[in-house]
């Protein structure tokens, strides 16, 4: 009877050892899978970090370009202001030139009147001289 018990216990022990081996294999498989997932997660995190760095670089470049555009706009406004000032000066000079031309015209009219009057006097003097 003892031999039968030992044999039965041995069979049970073998069965349990087999189950323990299978469980250990499952644990090993799950551990391997977990390691694989951890590796993939690490790779994904590295890609995300790289993408973030690239995005920051793009944002930096975009900000630099925006600053250049703002500088060009500012310069264009400055030029427009200067052009406006020059145009105002030109308008002032033109107005002054018109005023001067008007005055010259008035003076020329006075000179013409004086010349006409002088001719009239000369005519009269000529008549008087003819009588004398």
């Amino acid at each position: 009877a003892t031999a039968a018990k030992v044999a039965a216990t041995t069979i049970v022990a073998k069965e349990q050892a087999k189950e323990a081996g299978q469980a250990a294999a499952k644990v090993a498989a799950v551990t391997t899978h977990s390691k694989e997932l951890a590796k993939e997660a690490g790779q994904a995190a590295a890609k995300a970090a790289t993408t973030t760095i690239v995005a920051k670089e793009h944002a930096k470049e975009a900000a630099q370009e925006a600053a250049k555009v703002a500088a060009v706009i500012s310069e264009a406004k400055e030029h427009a202001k200067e052009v406006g000032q020059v145009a105002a000066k030109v308008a002032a000079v033109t107005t002054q030139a018109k005023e001067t031309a008007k005055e010259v015209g008035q003076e020329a009219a006075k000179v013409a009147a004086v010349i006409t009057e002088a001719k009239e006097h000369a005519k009269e003097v000529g008549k008087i001289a003819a009588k004398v």
Side-chain angles (χ1 to χ4, degrees), residues 48-64:
T50 303
T51 302
T52 302
I53 290 168
V54 170
K56 282 182 182 173
E57 194 61 35
H58 283 194
K60 185 178 171 185
E61 289 172 11
Q64 289 170 345

Side-chain angles (χ1 to χ4, degrees), residues 1-13:
T2 304
K5 279 186 185 176
V6 169
T9 303
T10 303
I11 290 170
V12 170

